Amino acid sequence: MEKKNSYSRRFFIKASAALGALALVPKYVSSFYRDIKALIVPVKEHINLTVSVNKKPYTMQADTRSTLLDLLRENLQLTGTKKGCDHGQCGACTVHVDGERTLSCLTLSAMTVGKEVTTIEGLSEGDDLHPMQEAFIACDGFQCGYCTPGQIMSAVACVKEGHTGSVEEIKAYMSGNLCRCGAYNGIVESIQKVAQHETI
Amino acid sequence: MRPFEYVKPKDSKEALRAKTPTGAYIAGGTNLVDLLKKNIAVPHQVLDVTQALSDKITLKRSGIEMGAMVRNTTAAINPTILEQFPLVSKAILAGASPQIRNMASIGGNLLQRTRCPYFYDTSLPCNKRAPGSGCGAYNGENRMSAVIGYSADCVAVHPSDLCVALAALDATVVVQDAQGKKRSILFKDFHRLPESAPQQDNTLPEGALIREVYIPKNAFHKHSAYVKIRDRDSYAFALVSVAAALQLDGNRIVAARLASGGVAHKPWRWLAAEQFLAGKETNATVFAEAAALAVQDVRPLAHNAFKVDMLKGAIETALQEALQA
Ligand SMILES: Cc1cc2nc3c(=O)[nH]c(=O)nc-3n(C[C@H](O)[C@H](O)[C@H](O)COP(=O)(O)OP(=O)(O)OC[C@H]3O[C@@H](n4cnc5c(N)ncnc54)[C@H](O)[C@@H]3O)c2cc1C
Ligand code: SF4
Ligand code: FES
Ligand code: FES
């Protein structure tokens, strides 16, 4: 791997020097150079990264293409975060990145280096569920449960952001999380319950 | 997804220098990652510009400057924007979902690709994705498509809400080209009409970066409104949308700004209606006449004639709401 790499570089330097001598306009040299570099120099398709998930650092080698969602589920076996659409349209994959709700299916894992990721597994403290998890149980905030981890992560953020002034506001700020079972009323109730508790 | 190299330049200079012809910048990733997964974007190199570009909002004497990396949510809840440029916030909050707005950048919002279903389905013809393959939507399913400014080669609409507000407010886009030269492009000249080259969405030079978006202070900010009509109340792209802004002197309109989303390949300014409104009194009849004037030029396709009346109503409502703002 290393060898091939250095051979290609040497070849590329020779090739580009020859081409550079031929070209007269400097602007073309640089774009030529980049063109050829893109073709010849082997692309590094794997990177070493350290990602902090639920306050624990994980170091691994990952494909540059991997999304945070796939990294969580496939590399770290944190399967609480769900894959619904994989295209940003359903919210099932919602996690918190540096405290902000984020779609893990549209996040490249390479871009989460140096950030703190919180998943549904990181909400509870030992056996003590997070108040939002308790509220979802108490208010029937789910049926099949597939959208639920994403709903709960989004709901926690919704309360933190202060978008709980009315049912309409809650619905608007939870619209990024779809529920095919239609547990919406229970979800709104859960959020109201937690929001009320937090303002007392 | 095709394999690619991931690089994270420290500053814009390094980003511009590192970018190869087959490279793609990534900011929030909410559009690019989707396009990567569908093999519609197939870069060999992905350049993460989250560190290279500014995420600052700066109030200047003559206007406000938003760095390209300012997240949509950050802009929408910024106190200065809420107070002095509220139309920007209204338009952003009418789009996408809280999660996507948290991720999406201002620069990326301007450069997001169309949501035309033919563009996203690689088994169907689309000139924007595969130049020369034909436009599937023109004679196909075109309910969501354009009603003005289109060509037989492409009838797609620009999906952004923010851009409609920026068009109405005469914003400028500060870009830096591959040679490092910075310049400003007027917002009205930033996005293109499809003509015979729909693969080109905008006038951003090849390899260039968006550095900032600048919105001038003017007399339009106080009385402004954004009306968006969509298939569901939230988390859907516009069927039609209208940004309206009025400069008033008592109950007389000094000047007006009217722009729409969901109608054309770029955020569309209704210039004839704007001219008509200047000097008129603010009343429902005048607003209705302005709306009628705007839709006069509209040419709907087979499945979107409904957009004409919808647009008329949205313009009247937006003007009314701007007056009351
Ligand atoms: C389900 C869904 C619903 C949505 N609904 C709406 C909606 O209702 N209204 C709306 O307005 N938007 C909507 N969006 C779109 C969303 O707003 C855009 O995807 C987002 O603004 C893009 O910003 P980004 O930073 O994530 O861009 P990225 O995906 O990172 O980049 C988009 C493009 O811009 C380029 N780019 C990014 N930054 C720069 C820069 N500074 N200089 C040069 N090139 C750059 C990239 O190379 C890429 O080609 C929706 C998206 C999804 C997935
Ligand atoms: S309207 Fe434009 S984007 Fe849609 S199929 Fe036609 S060419 Fe492609
Ligand atoms: S899986 Fe991410 S939004 Fe659907
Ligand atoms: S509980 Fe089944 S999808 Fe929401």
Side-chain angles (χ1 to χ4, degrees):
Chain A
M1 180 71 186
E2 274 304 304
K3 249 204 162 113
K4 186 164 167 258
N5 199 346
S6 69
Y7 170 76
S8 301
R9 274 182 202 281
R10 213 161 38 232
F11 171 69
F12 147 70
I13 288 164
K14 276 188 196 157
S16 68
L19 288 165
L22 284 174
L24 293 171
V25 191
K27 199 172 73 185
Y28 294 151
V29 178
S30 69
S31 70
F32 233 30
Y33 179 91
R34 286 188 305 192
D35 244 330
I36 288 175
K37 183 177 165 189
L39 285 174
I40 298 175
V41 177
V43 169
K44 271 190 273 162
E45 288 152 12
H46 285 88
I47 39 164
N48 293 313
L49 45 88
T50 302
V51 182
S52 179
V53 181
N54 302 327
K55 304 204 178 93
K56 234 169 85 186
Y58 296 89
T59 301
M60 72 211 94
Q61 197 183 53
D63 191 307
T64 50
R65 293 171 289 182
S66 74
T67 60
L68 176 58
L69 175 61
D70 288 339
L71 188 95
L72 291 170
R73 293 183 55 88
E74 312 294 335
N75 295 49
L76 307 183
Q77 273 75 53
L78 290 170
T79 51
T81 306
K82 296 291 182 272
K83 183 182 280 193
C85 64
D86 210 22
H87 288 286
Q89 302 184 352
C90 74
C93 65
T94 303
V95 298
H96 296 177
V97 176
D98 283 348
E100 307 280 353
R101 46 177 155 164
T102 297
L103 298 179
S104 60
C105 73
L106 294 184
T107 303
L108 292 181
S109 38
M111 293 175 77
T112 55
V113 172
K115 299 191 171 158
E116 179 59 37
V117 178
T118 310
T119 68
I120 189 75
E121 289 91 346
L123 270 194
S124 57
E125 311 239 350
D127 284 342
D128 292 336
L129 293 181
H130 184 280
M132 191 61 79
Q133 293 173 307
E134 299 277 13
F136 265 66
I137 295 169
C139 304
D140 281 337
F142 57 92
Q143 286 174 44
C144 78
Y146 197 79
C147 71
T148 313
Q151 297 282 1
I152 291 178
M153 295 313 284
S154 204
V156 169
C158 183
V159 172
K160 197 195 87 186
E161 294 160 10
H163 294 301
T164 56
S166 63
V167 171
E168 289 68 34
E169 189 182 9
I170 293 173
K171 284 188 173 172
Y173 279 86
M174 287 298 291
S175 67
N177 294 80
L178 306 187
C179 173
R180 298 212 65 180
C181 298
Y184 294 111
N185 291 342
I187 294 168
V188 170
E189 257 178 66
S190 310
I191 293 172
Q192 283 177 313
K193 190 170 169 170
V194 175
Q196 266 162 21
H197 194 79
E198 299 220 333
T199 49
I200 292 167
Chain B
M1 219 189 289
R2 308 276 167 81
F4 57 75
E5 179 189 16
Y6 168 84
V7 286
K8 188 173 181 179
K10 282 192 306 293
D11 51 33
S12 61
K13 210 169 137 192
E14 196 181 305
L16 291 163
R17 198 164 347 116
K19 186 175 177 301
T20 63
T22 52
Y25 297 121
I26 188 166
T30 59
N31 194 213
L32 189 71
V33 175
D34 204 3
L35 297 172
L36 291 173
K37 287 183 182 182
K38 294 191 166 149
N39 288 335
I40 296 168
V42 287
H44 288 105
Q45 175 203 41
V46 168
L47 299 104
D48 172 353
V49 295
T50 53
Q51 198 186 333
L53 298 177
S54 160
D55 63 354
K56 299 274 179 306
I57 298 175
T58 321
L59 186 65
K60 308 218 159 158
R61 204 142 46 114
S62 57
I64 198 157
E65 188 182 271
M66 299 187 283
M69 262 328 296
V70 169
R71 307 287 175 164
N72 287 2
T73 298
T74 311
I77 63 172
N78 177 275
T80 312
I81 288 182
L82 279 169
E83 194 192 310
Q84 299 187 36
F85 306 86
L87 185 58
V88 173
S89 173
K90 287 177 200 169
I92 291 175
L93 294 178
S97 68
Q99 289 97 313
I100 292 168
R101 295 193 298 262
N102 281 348
M103 303 167 72
S105 68
I106 297 291
N109 192 302
L110 269 55
L111 297 174
Q112 60 175 302
R113 309 296 314 265
T114 185
R115 308 304 290 204
C116 173
Y118 293 87
F119 177 75
Y120 276 86
D121 187 337
T122 48
S123 67
L124 295 173
C126 168
N127 286 326
K128 194 182 272 302
R129 173 172 38 75
S133 63
C135 171
Y138 183 57
N139 288 313
E141 169 54 53
N142 50 35
R143 177 173 176 272
M144 299 293 288
S145 306
V147 291
I148 196 164
Y150 55 79
S151 71
D153 288 329
C154 180
V155 294
V157 298
H158 194 269
S160 168
D161 290 295
L162 168 65
C163 289
V164 180
L166 295 177
L169 296 174
D170 298 316
T172 52
V173 187
V174 182
V175 307
Q176 187 171 24
D177 65 22
Q179 282 73 43
K181 265 221 323 270
K182 267 210 207 185
R183 66 189 167 92
S184 290
I185 303 176
L186 293 177
F187 207 81
K188 70 176 175 61
D189 300 327
F190 187 77
H191 294 100
R192 292 181 68 251
L193 288 182
E195 295 169 351
S196 57
Q199 67 275 20
Q200 203 91 44
D201 292 346
N202 51 58
T203 57
L204 185 72
E206 181 60 37
L209 280 169
I210 293 182
R211 293 291 304 267
E212 286 104 24
V213 171
Y214 181 78
I215 309 168
K217 283 185 186 166
N218 53 36
F220 291 107
H221 298 291
K222 186 157 185 284
H223 293 284
S224 62
Y226 191 72
V227 170
K228 178 176 178 181
I229 303 177
R230 40 193 156 168
D231 283 327
R232 59 182 179 210
D233 235 12
S234 185
Y235 201 20
F237 289 96
L239 290 166
V240 303
S241 71
V242 178
L246 297 170
Q247 181 184 352
L248 297 174
D249 178 11
N251 62 354
R252 201 178 60 84
I253 302 166
V254 179
R257 290 286 184 268
L258 267 183
S260 278
V263 299
H265 196 259
K266 62 188 277 184
W268 193 262
R269 279 276 293 268
W270 304 105
L271 297 175
E274 287 180 8
Q275 270 162 26
F276 166 84
L277 284 165
K280 299 282 188 317
E281 237 184 66
T282 52
N283 62 53
T285 320
V286 166
F287 291 167
E289 279 171 13
L293 199 61
V295 301
Q296 227 173 43
D297 300 330
V298 157
R299 300 280 174 274
L301 299 161
H303 304 129
N304 65 10
F306 71 93
K307 282 195 180 184
V308 182
D309 281 342
M310 193 176 262
L311 185 60
K312 220 157 116 188
I315 292 177
E316 290 184 48
T317 309
L319 286 168
Q320 205 59 255
E321 284 184 11
L323 178 64
Q324 279 144 23

